[in-house]
Amino acid sequence: MANIPSYEVPPQLRDLAETSLEQARKAFESFIGTARRTTDTLQGSADLARTSTQDIYARGLDYAEQNVRAALDLGQKLAAARSLPEAAQIQAEYVRERFAAMQAQAKELGGLAQGAFQQGAERARAAVQQGADEARKAVEQGQDAAQQAANEAQQAAH
């Protein structure tokens, strides 16, 4: 085997390499931390959407139950009516009540859906903005560290 000449790396270059690696590690940790926080926030938004959807669905079932019960009550009242005018009055009253109830139900369901959408959109926007800000900061720190390492390498070479 050929003899390989012994070469000792100057302490300045070893220190520079250690410093550069530590700065790169810090920038990476900052970036990963940001990514994890963004993921957690987005998961929270998904959980909010699921909960809101479940609330809207449950409310819709409540309304369906109310409407079916009202229709069954109408049938019972119509069956007990003694005359055609009385049946017509019962029917007209039912239509007025159900129309008002369905308007209120639609308004409430629409408000629930709109509120859920707005909350989800705001959370997602905030998460994306925070993630972008933190990622930009991490990139800037990495660029600063790289520039500093390049400057130190250049000084060590001279």
mmCIF file of all heavy atoms in Angstrom, residues 94-130:
data_model
loop_
_atom_site.group_PDB
_atom_site.id
_atom_site.type_symbol
_atom_site.label_atom_id
_atom_site.label_comp_id
_atom_site.label_asym_id
_atom_site.label_seq_id
_atom_site.Cartn_x
_atom_site.Cartn_y
_atom_site.Cartn_z
ATOM 1 N N TYR A 94 -101.556 24.689 9.576
ATOM 2 C CA TYR A 94 -100.360 23.845 9.459
ATOM 3 C C TYR A 94 -99.373 24.447 8.457
ATOM 4 O O TYR A 94 -98.168 24.535 8.735
ATOM 5 C CB TYR A 94 -100.760 22.425 9.034
ATOM 6 C CG TYR A 94 -99.580 21.566 8.654
ATOM 7 C CD1 TYR A 94 -98.803 20.937 9.625
ATOM 8 C CD2 TYR A 94 -99.229 21.384 7.316
ATOM 9 C CE1 TYR A 94 -97.722 20.146 9.279
ATOM 10 C CE2 TYR A 94 -98.148 20.601 6.958
ATOM 11 C CZ TYR A 94 -97.381 19.992 7.939
ATOM 12 O OH TYR A 94 -96.303 19.219 7.596
ATOM 13 N N VAL A 95 -99.874 24.853 7.305
ATOM 14 C CA VAL A 95 -99.010 25.414 6.260
ATOM 15 C C VAL A 95 -98.312 26.667 6.775
ATOM 16 O O VAL A 95 -97.102 26.846 6.577
ATOM 17 C CB VAL A 95 -99.806 25.698 4.965
ATOM 18 C CG1 VAL A 95 -98.994 26.529 3.979
ATOM 19 C CG2 VAL A 95 -100.260 24.391 4.315
ATOM 20 N N ARG A 96 -99.052 27.554 7.464
ATOM 21 C CA ARG A 96 -98.445 28.782 8.016
ATOM 22 C C ARG A 96 -97.353 28.434 9.037
ATOM 23 O O ARG A 96 -96.253 28.973 8.988
ATOM 24 C CB ARG A 96 -99.516 29.658 8.680
ATOM 25 C CG ARG A 96 -100.309 30.534 7.741
ATOM 26 C CD ARG A 96 -101.145 31.568 8.496
ATOM 27 N NE ARG A 96 -102.038 30.974 9.493
ATOM 28 C CZ ARG A 96 -103.258 30.519 9.252
ATOM 29 N NH1 ARG A 96 -103.751 30.598 8.035
ATOM 30 N NH2 ARG A 96 -103.986 30.004 10.224
ATOM 31 N N GLU A 97 -97.670 27.530 9.963
ATOM 32 C CA GLU A 97 -96.706 27.153 11.003
ATOM 33 C C GLU A 97 -95.461 26.491 10.406
ATOM 34 O O GLU A 97 -94.332 26.806 10.793
ATOM 35 C CB GLU A 97 -97.358 26.195 12.011
ATOM 36 C CG GLU A 97 -98.353 26.848 12.932
ATOM 37 C CD GLU A 97 -99.071 25.833 13.828
ATOM 38 O OE1 GLU A 97 -98.769 24.614 13.743
ATOM 39 O OE2 GLU A 97 -99.932 26.266 14.608
ATOM 40 N N ARG A 98 -95.673 25.557 9.478
ATOM 41 C CA ARG A 98 -94.534 24.844 8.887
ATOM 42 C C ARG A 98 -93.683 25.772 8.028
ATOM 43 O O ARG A 98 -92.470 25.652 8.008
ATOM 44 C CB ARG A 98 -95.004 23.650 8.050
ATOM 45 C CG ARG A 98 -95.541 22.513 8.855
ATOM 46 C CD ARG A 98 -94.469 21.816 9.726
ATOM 47 N NE ARG A 98 -94.354 22.447 11.028
ATOM 48 C CZ ARG A 98 -93.279 22.456 11.804
ATOM 49 N NH1 ARG A 98 -92.189 21.872 11.449
ATOM 50 N NH2 ARG A 98 -93.262 23.074 12.954
ATOM 51 N N PHE A 99 -94.335 26.683 7.308
ATOM 52 C CA PHE A 99 -93.577 27.624 6.487
ATOM 53 C C PHE A 99 -92.670 28.473 7.373
ATOM 54 O O PHE A 99 -91.478 28.623 7.090
ATOM 55 C CB PHE A 99 -94.527 28.505 5.654
ATOM 56 C CG PHE A 99 -93.807 29.427 4.721
ATOM 57 C CD1 PHE A 99 -93.201 28.938 3.575
ATOM 58 C CD2 PHE A 99 -93.715 30.792 4.999
ATOM 59 C CE1 PHE A 99 -92.521 29.791 2.713
ATOM 60 C CE2 PHE A 99 -93.039 31.651 4.142
ATOM 61 C CZ PHE A 99 -92.440 31.146 2.991
ATOM 62 N N ALA A 100 -93.222 29.009 8.459
ATOM 63 C CA ALA A 100 -92.424 29.827 9.383
ATOM 64 C C ALA A 100 -91.317 28.982 10.023
ATOM 65 O O ALA A 100 -90.170 29.426 10.151
ATOM 66 C CB ALA A 100 -93.320 30.446 10.453
ATOM 67 N N ALA A 101 -91.649 27.759 10.422
ATOM 68 C CA ALA A 101 -90.658 26.889 11.057
ATOM 69 C C ALA A 101 -89.538 26.537 10.081
ATOM 70 O O ALA A 101 -88.354 26.571 10.445
ATOM 71 C CB ALA A 101 -91.326 25.614 11.571
ATOM 72 N N MET A 102 -89.885 26.225 8.855
ATOM 73 C CA MET A 102 -88.856 25.857 7.872
ATOM 74 C C MET A 102 -87.982 27.046 7.495
ATOM 75 O O MET A 102 -86.781 26.883 7.263
ATOM 76 C CB MET A 102 -89.495 25.221 6.643
ATOM 77 C CG MET A 102 -90.001 23.824 6.927
ATOM 78 S SD MET A 102 -90.682 23.090 5.434
ATOM 79 C CE MET A 102 -90.995 21.430 6.012
ATOM 80 N N GLN A 103 -88.547 28.236 7.471
ATOM 81 C CA GLN A 103 -87.727 29.430 7.229
ATOM 82 C C GLN A 103 -86.709 29.595 8.361
ATOM 83 O O GLN A 103 -85.533 29.855 8.107
ATOM 84 C CB GLN A 103 -88.602 30.681 7.139
ATOM 85 C CG GLN A 103 -89.249 30.890 5.808
ATOM 86 C CD GLN A 103 -90.022 32.207 5.795
ATOM 87 O OE1 GLN A 103 -90.691 32.570 6.762
ATOM 88 N NE2 GLN A 103 -89.927 32.918 4.675
ATOM 89 N N ALA A 104 -87.172 29.460 9.591
ATOM 90 C CA ALA A 104 -86.277 29.593 10.744
ATOM 91 C C ALA A 104 -85.220 28.497 10.731
ATOM 92 O O ALA A 104 -84.038 28.748 11.018
ATOM 93 C CB ALA A 104 -87.074 29.543 12.047
ATOM 94 N N GLN A 105 -85.622 27.280 10.377
ATOM 95 C CA GLN A 105 -84.682 26.169 10.336
ATOM 96 C C GLN A 105 -83.613 26.404 9.262
ATOM 97 O O GLN A 105 -82.410 26.210 9.509
ATOM 98 C CB GLN A 105 -85.426 24.856 10.058
ATOM 99 C CG GLN A 105 -86.307 24.420 11.204
ATOM 100 C CD GLN A 105 -87.271 23.308 10.812
ATOM 101 O OE1 GLN A 105 -87.312 22.868 9.663
ATOM 102 N NE2 GLN A 105 -88.064 22.851 11.785
ATOM 103 N N ALA A 106 -84.023 26.826 8.109
ATOM 104 C CA ALA A 106 -83.082 27.086 7.016
ATOM 105 C C ALA A 106 -82.118 28.215 7.388
ATOM 106 O O ALA A 106 -80.918 28.140 7.110
ATOM 107 C CB ALA A 106 -83.837 27.435 5.732
ATOM 108 N N LYS A 107 -82.670 29.241 8.028
ATOM 109 C CA LYS A 107 -81.827 30.366 8.446
ATOM 110 C C LYS A 107 -80.784 29.904 9.462
ATOM 111 O O LYS A 107 -79.605 30.253 9.366
ATOM 112 C CB LYS A 107 -82.696 31.471 9.044
ATOM 113 C CG LYS A 107 -81.932 32.711 9.431
ATOM 114 C CD LYS A 107 -82.882 33.784 9.952
ATOM 115 C CE LYS A 107 -82.116 35.021 10.369
ATOM 116 N NZ LYS A 107 -83.014 36.074 10.858
ATOM 117 N N GLU A 108 -81.198 29.088 10.430
ATOM 118 C CA GLU A 108 -80.262 28.615 11.449
ATOM 119 C C GLU A 108 -79.202 27.694 10.848
ATOM 120 O O GLU A 108 -78.016 27.824 11.144
ATOM 121 C CB GLU A 108 -80.992 27.897 12.581
ATOM 122 C CG GLU A 108 -80.029 27.510 13.699
ATOM 123 C CD GLU A 108 -80.719 26.932 14.912
ATOM 124 O OE1 GLU A 108 -81.956 26.861 14.942
ATOM 125 O OE2 GLU A 108 -79.987 26.528 15.826
ATOM 126 N N LEU A 109 -79.624 26.768 9.999
ATOM 127 C CA LEU A 109 -78.652 25.871 9.361
ATOM 128 C C LEU A 109 -77.671 26.654 8.491
ATOM 129 O O LEU A 109 -76.472 26.370 8.477
ATOM 130 C CB LEU A 109 -79.365 24.798 8.537
ATOM 131 C CG LEU A 109 -80.056 23.696 9.323
ATOM 132 C CD1 LEU A 109 -80.834 22.773 8.381
ATOM 133 C CD2 LEU A 109 -79.059 22.901 10.151
ATOM 134 N N GLY A 110 -78.172 27.634 7.773
ATOM 135 C CA GLY A 110 -77.293 28.485 6.960
ATOM 136 C C GLY A 110 -76.299 29.241 7.819
ATOM 137 O O GLY A 110 -75.118 29.356 7.465
ATOM 138 N N GLY A 111 -76.761 29.755 8.950
ATOM 139 C CA GLY A 111 -75.862 30.461 9.864
ATOM 140 C C GLY A 111 -74.807 29.549 10.447
ATOM 141 O O GLY A 111 -73.638 29.936 10.562
ATOM 142 N N LEU A 112 -75.206 28.325 10.790
ATOM 143 C CA LEU A 112 -74.227 27.357 11.300
ATOM 144 C C LEU A 112 -73.170 27.031 10.244
ATOM 145 O O LEU A 112 -71.974 26.988 10.541
ATOM 146 C CB LEU A 112 -74.931 26.066 11.744
ATOM 147 C CG LEU A 112 -75.756 26.124 13.021
ATOM 148 C CD1 LEU A 112 -76.537 24.825 13.204
ATOM 149 C CD2 LEU A 112 -74.866 26.385 14.226
ATOM 150 N N ALA A 113 -73.613 26.802 9.037
ATOM 151 C CA ALA A 113 -72.681 26.472 7.953
ATOM 152 C C ALA A 113 -71.748 27.642 7.655
ATOM 153 O O ALA A 113 -70.539 27.462 7.502
ATOM 154 C CB ALA A 113 -73.455 26.076 6.698
ATOM 155 N N GLN A 114 -72.303 28.837 7.609
ATOM 156 C CA GLN A 114 -71.486 30.014 7.319
ATOM 157 C C GLN A 114 -70.471 30.249 8.434
ATOM 158 O O GLN A 114 -69.306 30.536 8.171
ATOM 159 C CB GLN A 114 -72.363 31.245 7.142
ATOM 160 C CG GLN A 114 -71.574 32.487 6.774
ATOM 161 C CD GLN A 114 -72.474 33.694 6.562
ATOM 162 O OE1 GLN A 114 -73.655 33.667 6.859
ATOM 163 N NE2 GLN A 114 -71.898 34.755 6.050
ATOM 164 N N GLY A 115 -70.905 30.119 9.682
ATOM 165 C CA GLY A 115 -69.990 30.303 10.806
ATOM 166 C C GLY A 115 -68.866 29.279 10.796
ATOM 167 O O GLY A 115 -67.706 29.611 11.033
ATOM 168 N N ALA A 116 -69.204 28.037 10.503
ATOM 169 C CA ALA A 116 -68.190 26.975 10.444
ATOM 170 C C ALA A 116 -67.195 27.262 9.325
ATOM 171 O O ALA A 116 -65.979 27.109 9.506
ATOM 172 C CB ALA A 116 -68.850 25.621 10.230
ATOM 173 N N PHE A 117 -67.705 27.681 8.177
ATOM 174 C CA PHE A 117 -66.826 27.993 7.061
ATOM 175 C C PHE A 117 -65.883 29.142 7.391
ATOM 176 O O PHE A 117 -64.692 29.083 7.130
ATOM 177 C CB PHE A 117 -67.645 28.325 5.810
ATOM 178 C CG PHE A 117 -66.797 28.707 4.636
ATOM 179 C CD1 PHE A 117 -66.126 27.742 3.911
ATOM 180 C CD2 PHE A 117 -66.655 30.043 4.273
ATOM 181 C CE1 PHE A 117 -65.329 28.090 2.840
ATOM 182 C CE2 PHE A 117 -65.860 30.403 3.204
ATOM 183 C CZ PHE A 117 -65.190 29.422 2.482
ATOM 184 N N GLN A 118 -66.418 30.191 8.002
ATOM 185 C CA GLN A 118 -65.601 31.344 8.346
ATOM 186 C C GLN A 118 -64.533 30.984 9.376
ATOM 187 O O GLN A 118 -63.386 31.406 9.255
ATOM 188 C CB GLN A 118 -66.475 32.483 8.860
ATOM 189 C CG GLN A 118 -67.263 33.167 7.770
ATOM 190 C CD GLN A 118 -68.237 34.209 8.299
ATOM 191 O OE1 GLN A 118 -68.630 34.179 9.455
ATOM 192 N NE2 GLN A 118 -68.635 35.131 7.434
ATOM 193 N N GLN A 119 -64.912 30.208 10.396
ATOM 194 C CA GLN A 119 -63.937 29.793 11.402
ATOM 195 C C GLN A 119 -62.836 28.952 10.773
ATOM 196 O O GLN A 119 -61.655 29.151 11.057
ATOM 197 C CB GLN A 119 -64.600 28.990 12.515
ATOM 198 C CG GLN A 119 -65.334 29.819 13.528
ATOM 199 C CD GLN A 119 -65.897 28.924 14.633
ATOM 200 O OE1 GLN A 119 -66.325 27.811 14.397
ATOM 201 N NE2 GLN A 119 -65.888 29.434 15.850
ATOM 202 N N GLY A 120 -63.227 28.012 9.952
ATOM 203 C CA GLY A 120 -62.240 27.149 9.303
ATOM 204 C C GLY A 120 -61.320 27.929 8.386
ATOM 205 O O GLY A 120 -60.104 27.714 8.381
ATOM 206 N N ALA A 121 -61.898 28.829 7.617
ATOM 207 C CA ALA A 121 -61.087 29.633 6.697
ATOM 208 C C ALA A 121 -60.118 30.528 7.465
ATOM 209 O O ALA A 121 -58.955 30.672 7.076
ATOM 210 C CB ALA A 121 -61.993 30.478 5.795
ATOM 211 N N GLU A 122 -60.571 31.109 8.564
ATOM 212 C CA GLU A 122 -59.705 31.984 9.359
ATOM 213 C C GLU A 122 -58.569 31.185 9.991
ATOM 214 O O GLU A 122 -57.417 31.618 9.990
ATOM 215 C CB GLU A 122 -60.510 32.707 10.435
ATOM 216 C CG GLU A 122 -59.706 33.621 11.322
ATOM 217 C CD GLU A 122 -58.896 34.674 10.581
ATOM 218 O OE1 GLU A 122 -59.339 35.158 9.523
ATOM 219 O OE2 GLU A 122 -57.793 35.028 11.060
ATOM 220 N N ARG A 123 -58.888 30.021 10.524
ATOM 221 C CA ARG A 123 -57.834 29.184 11.115
ATOM 222 C C ARG A 123 -56.820 28.754 10.067
ATOM 223 O O ARG A 123 -55.618 28.776 10.314
ATOM 224 C CB ARG A 123 -58.434 27.949 11.782
ATOM 225 C CG ARG A 123 -59.001 28.212 13.138
ATOM 226 C CD ARG A 123 -59.363 26.914 13.795
ATOM 227 N NE ARG A 123 -59.855 27.138 15.140
ATOM 228 C CZ ARG A 123 -60.048 26.185 16.011
ATOM 229 N NH1 ARG A 123 -59.797 24.934 15.692
ATOM 230 N NH2 ARG A 123 -60.498 26.460 17.209
ATOM 231 N N ALA A 124 -57.310 28.333 8.923
ATOM 232 C CA ALA A 124 -56.401 27.899 7.859
ATOM 233 C C ALA A 124 -55.538 29.063 7.380
ATOM 234 O O ALA A 124 -54.329 28.905 7.177
ATOM 235 C CB ALA A 124 -57.193 27.304 6.704
ATOM 236 N N ARG A 125 -56.141 30.234 7.212
ATOM 237 C CA ARG A 125 -55.373 31.398 6.767
ATOM 238 C C ARG A 125 -54.294 31.749 7.778
ATOM 239 O O ARG A 125 -53.143 31.993 7.429
ATOM 240 C CB ARG A 125 -56.289 32.612 6.568
ATOM 241 C CG ARG A 125 -55.562 33.832 5.979
ATOM 242 C CD ARG A 125 -56.231 35.145 6.331
ATOM 243 N NE ARG A 125 -56.304 35.419 7.740
ATOM 244 C CZ ARG A 125 -55.282 35.860 8.494
ATOM 245 N NH1 ARG A 125 -54.090 36.030 7.975
ATOM 246 N NH2 ARG A 125 -55.441 36.097 9.771
ATOM 247 N N ALA A 126 -54.652 31.748 9.060
ATOM 248 C CA ALA A 126 -53.690 32.067 10.112
ATOM 249 C C ALA A 126 -52.573 31.038 10.155
ATOM 250 O O ALA A 126 -51.391 31.392 10.323
ATOM 251 C CB ALA A 126 -54.395 32.154 11.467
ATOM 252 N N ALA A 127 -52.917 29.766 9.994
ATOM 253 C CA ALA A 127 -51.900 28.709 10.028
ATOM 254 C C ALA A 127 -50.936 28.842 8.856
ATOM 255 O O ALA A 127 -49.723 28.729 9.028
ATOM 256 C CB ALA A 127 -52.566 27.334 10.001
ATOM 257 N N VAL A 128 -51.479 29.084 7.687
ATOM 258 C CA VAL A 128 -50.627 29.232 6.509
ATOM 259 C C VAL A 128 -49.739 30.464 6.651
ATOM 260 O O VAL A 128 -48.541 30.421 6.354
ATOM 261 C CB VAL A 128 -51.480 29.290 5.224
ATOM 262 C CG1 VAL A 128 -50.651 29.725 4.033
ATOM 263 C CG2 VAL A 128 -52.125 27.938 4.972
ATOM 264 N N GLN A 129 -50.308 31.563 7.131
ATOM 265 C CA GLN A 129 -49.525 32.787 7.312
ATOM 266 C C GLN A 129 -48.411 32.567 8.326
ATOM 267 O O GLN A 129 -47.267 32.956 8.108
ATOM 268 C CB GLN A 129 -50.420 33.943 7.757
ATOM 269 C CG GLN A 129 -49.682 35.267 7.892
ATOM 270 C CD GLN A 129 -49.122 35.751 6.571
ATOM 271 O OE1 GLN A 129 -49.809 35.753 5.570
ATOM 272 N NE2 GLN A 129 -47.859 36.149 6.558
ATOM 273 N N GLN A 130 -48.744 31.944 9.460
ATOM 274 C CA GLN A 130 -47.734 31.677 10.489
ATOM 275 C C GLN A 130 -46.648 30.758 9.939
ATOM 276 O O GLN A 130 -45.462 30.997 10.157
ATOM 277 C CB GLN A 130 -48.377 31.045 11.721
ATOM 278 C CG GLN A 130 -47.370 30.728 12.816
ATOM 279 C CD GLN A 130 -48.001 30.021 14.002
ATOM 280 O OE1 GLN A 130 -49.180 29.689 13.984
ATOM 281 N NE2 GLN A 130 -47.224 29.784 15.026
#
